[in-house]
Amino acid sequence: MTDMVNHPPHYTSHPSGVECIQITEHMGFNLGNALKYIWRADLKGQSVEDLRKAEFYIKREIAKREVSE
C-alpha cells in the first residue's frame, strides 16, 4: 500500500534517488520550499503551478533579504 502522507511516489521518483527533504531540511523556510517546488515540478504533472509556487517563495526570500541589507 502506498503511503501518500510520508512517502508518496513523487517523493522518491527523482533520478538521483535522493528525497528532496534530505536537502531542504538544511535550508531556510523560503529557499527550502522553493527548492521543493522546483524539485517536483516535472514529477506530479503540475509543472507550471509548482514553478509559480517556487517563484512565490523566491520573491519572499528576496524581499526579506532586501530589508536586512
Side-chain angles (χ1 to χ4, degrees):
M1 179 184 238
T2 301
D3 181 349
M4 292 303 289
V5 173
N6 297 302
H7 296 289
H10 66 273
Y11 278 20
T12 56
S13 59
H14 191 270
S16 69
V18 174
E19 278 195 46
C20 186
I21 196 169
Q22 293 174 279
I23 297 168
T24 61
E25 66 188 357
H26 301 284
M27 305 173 84
F29 182 79
N30 290 326
L31 295 180
N33 274 324
L35 180 61
K36 173 184 72 174
Y37 285 113
I38 292 167
W39 187 280
R40 71 183 192 184
D42 293 324
L43 303 177
K44 290 177 49 192
Q46 300 171 347
S47 61
V48 173
E49 181 178 301
D50 281 338
L51 292 173
R52 285 190 176 128
K53 289 178 182 178
E55 177 185 33
F56 170 82
Y57 285 107
I58 291 169
K59 286 180 177 179
R60 287 183 63 89
E61 185 65 22
I62 290 169
K64 178 179 148 187
R65 291 179 185 216
E66 286 177 336
V67 169
S68 65
E69 289 183 351

